[in-house]
Each structure stands twice: as structure tokens, then as C-alpha cells.
Amino acid sequence: MFEIVESHHAHLPELARCYISAFPRSLTSAMGKQYVIKVLSWFLDVPGNFLFHIRKVPENRIVGFCGGLINDGVTKRGSASEMIQFAFWVGVRALIFRPWLLFHTEMRNKYGLAIKNVRRKLLGHKGKRTYSPGRIKQPYTGLVVIGIHRSFQNLGLGRLLLNGFEEWTLKTGYTSMRLSVKRDNIQAIKAYQKAGWMVMEERNDSVSMVKMINNKG
């Protein structure tokens, strides 16, 4: 039996282990458990973010998780930069002890983003959100991360997490959901399309997807 549970700080160590199992080759996982914990705490410590997980009962074991953010249509937000700024010094420490990660494929693809955030941090910019009142767009919830422990994949838990994300979105009163996925992750794209998500925009290395839901409340 599986159930969805709202995540709290006490869950972070186990959530980190689940994350590393779900994404064993990712740069975030390679930087170590403490860095993963810091990244995941961004969902709990920053207003407007959220994190929930699936636990297997009666074992009370975390086997999947989902995290996202709220965009009110006025605030300019970027989850990647916000995370980097939030976990900056823990990330620096991880790279000092693992300098070879500077040549990790994912790091090489993000040198521009990394340099931009180093400059912002050293110049004293704290990654505050900016507001553009004259460019109001439709508010939405953004799905930032979703993962399942490798021992529990292909059991339909991804769909359970997506359903949980929709329920959480409805509680906010919003009806629009968005996500971004790597363009070469064909399996994930097909899974999202099967769940009702539609391609909104295609870029060189990523695909933006959207899904509208009805707020019956």
C-alpha cells in the first residue's frame, strides 16, 4: 500500500537517499548526500515552494517524491538559479572535496549558468525575486522535480505523484501547471503526455509542457 504524505525537514535524510537512488548519475547526486539534503530543503524553506512524497506502508519507507513551486504570473522565478543560490556554499564545499565533478557532463553543460550564479553570489546579489507588474501572465504551479526509488519504478507511482501534484495545484486555486524536461528523455515526455500534459515549447535541449485542470471548488 502506498500513500502521499507532505514532506517535512525530518524526512530530508531519507528523501536524499531516495533522490540518489532515483537519479544515480546526476550531478546533484554525485555531489553527495549533504548537498542533496540542502537542495531538497529549498522546497521546504522558501515560501511558495512545496514538497511531498510517497511512502510504502506499513514499512513507512519513502519510495518517491515530488517538488514544485508557485508562480503568481508577476514574479520572475527560475528554479535552477534559485536552487544554486540557496545551496551555494554547500555546493562549493562539495566541489572542493570532489574537484573532478567540475568535468562532469552535466556541469560542462551548465558552465554558463554556474558562472552567472558565482558572479551573483560574490557581488552580493541574493537571488531575490523580481516583479514585473506590467507583464502579468497566467499564474501556474511548476513541477520542478519528480523521482522514484529504483526498486519501486514501473509500478505506476509516477502517475500517483502526478495526481498528487494536480491535487496540490487545485488547493492553491490555480488551474495551470507547467514543467520542463530534457528533450532526449523520450520516456518521460511520453509518460507526461499520457497523463494529459501537452508540449508548449521545444528548445535545443529541453521541452516545456503544460496541463490545464478544472477547479471544481
Side-chain angles (χ1 to χ4, degrees), residues 110-208:
K110 296 180 178 178
Y111 276 154
L113 180 63
I115 293 172
K116 174 183 176 182
N117 277 278
V118 168
R119 186 181 297 118
R120 288 174 60 187
K121 199 71 175 180
L122 296 181
L123 292 178
H125 298 290
K126 298 182 179 180
K128 293 182 179 179
R129 303 171 189 173
T130 57
Y131 295 82
S132 304
R135 300 181 61 186
I136 298 177
K137 298 180 180 180
Q138 183 181 40
Y140 65 87
T141 56
L143 196 160
V144 178
V145 66
I146 183 170
I148 301 168
H149 191 287
R150 63 172 177 262
S151 298
F152 292 87
Q153 294 175 0
N154 302 314
L155 297 177
L157 299 186
R159 187 57 182 270
L160 183 60
L161 286 169
L162 288 177
N163 290 341
F165 181 78
E166 291 188 20
E167 291 176 6
W168 191 91
T169 297
L170 288 174
K171 290 179 182 178
T172 69
Y174 291 1
T175 58
S176 177
M177 307 182 299
R178 298 184 186 182
L179 63 82
S180 180
V181 61
K182 290 183 179 179
R183 191 168 185 172
D184 59 0
N185 194 345
I186 306 299
Q187 183 177 358
I189 293 174
K190 288 182 177 180
Y192 289 130
Q193 289 177 322
K194 188 175 181 180
W197 292 73
M198 298 180 294
V199 173
M200 180 175 63
E201 180 183 8
E202 294 188 31
R203 299 181 179 178
N204 292 333
D205 60 350
S206 66
V207 174
S208 296

Side-chain angles (χ1 to χ4, degrees), residues 26-50:
S26 74
L27 175 61
T28 300
S29 294
M31 290 178 72
K33 182 180 175 182
Q34 291 307 311
Y35 183 73
V36 177
I37 287 176
K38 186 64 176 180
V39 167
L40 292 175
S41 67
W42 174 76
F43 292 99
L44 302 178
D45 294 339
V46 175
N49 295 347
F50 64 92

Side-chain angles (χ1 to χ4, degrees), residues 75-90:
T75 310
K76 184 178 180 181
R77 302 198 62 185
S79 58
S81 290
E82 284 190 26
M83 279 186 185
I84 291 174
Q85 291 291 307
F86 183 83
F88 187 85
W89 294 114
V90 180

